[in-house]
Amino acid sequence: MTMTVRDAQREDLPNLIAWNAAMAWETEHRRLDPDVFSRGMAAVFDEPRRGFYLVAELDGKPAGCLMVTYEWSDWRNGNFWWIQSVYVTESARRSGVFRALYADVARRAGEAGAVGLRLYVETENERAQATYEGLGMERCHYFMYEQALERAR
């Protein structure tokens, strides 16, 4: 099997949209508003400061993706790169797709001078947690809090 990782292009949006909808359903049994999240994903391509998507291909076929966003740390005087919207197609799972995506992000983050990589994972998703720990990531001591705000769509 040949694995490659590349920058996502606008032409990848149909796959990215389908994969994000699948990920939301698989991890949270949540149906996303397709208009809202489709525009949100396209906005990443419109404004590179928001982040970027990567696509992994297995034997030339798209097999997974992730998105990277940035968080400035004044304490460390640098950016953390957040790994988000991770999805690997069902047929490609356990074949090293995420490992390849992660390695590419780590390389890019190091070259860009990032101070670290972060991601969040569902508390019940033990398989993903084991994967992340196997790559050298550690569970941090922070809890995540959230408050949704109503806004114009």
Side-chain angles (χ1 to χ4, degrees):
M1 288 189 277
T2 304
M3 180 86 61
T4 58
V5 174
R6 62 174 174 79
D7 292 321
Q9 306 298 315
R10 277 190 191 276
E11 296 77 38
D12 292 306
L13 273 171
N15 276 340
L16 296 174
I17 289 167
W19 292 343
N20 270 270
M23 183 260 303
W25 182 252
E26 288 177 23
T27 59
E28 299 181 33
H29 290 302
R30 188 173 188 181
R31 296 208 189 279
L32 302 176
D33 180 328
D35 183 54
V36 172
F37 86 88
S38 296
R39 286 187 289 126
M41 295 176 79
V44 174
F45 291 98
D46 295 338
E47 291 285 339
R49 67 180 169 80
R50 291 185 170 125
F52 61 91
Y53 288 96
L54 295 176
V55 171
E57 293 181 341
L58 193 56
D59 292 332
K61 296 178 184 171
C65 68
L66 59 73
M67 177 180 68
V68 171
T69 60
Y70 314 107
E71 174 193 10
W72 178 254
S73 171
D74 54 352
W75 286 11
R76 298 188 185 164
N77 190 32
N79 280 316
F80 277 96
W81 283 28
W82 277 86
I83 298 171
Q84 301 183 59
S85 300
V86 174
Y87 190 77
V88 176
T89 61
E90 198 167 338
S91 63
R93 292 181 185 163
R94 311 310 292 172
S95 63
V97 171
F98 178 73
R99 182 174 297 279
L101 286 163
Y102 182 85
D104 196 82
V105 169
R107 178 187 58 78
R108 291 173 187 233
E111 290 171 358
V115 297
L117 300 175
R118 287 184 170 165
L119 56 75
Y120 52 87
V121 60
E122 289 292 316
T123 55
E124 297 84 25
N125 193 341
E126 293 176 2
R127 177 183 266 181
Q129 292 172 36
T131 297
Y132 303 145
E133 289 171 9
L135 291 169
M137 296 189 89
E138 298 175 357
R139 183 179 301 185
C140 64
H141 60 275
Y142 295 107
F143 287 111
M144 185 172 143
Y145 287 79
E146 176 179 77
Q147 179 178 0
L149 302 175
E150 291 297 317
R151 64 183 190 97
R153 296 178 181 218

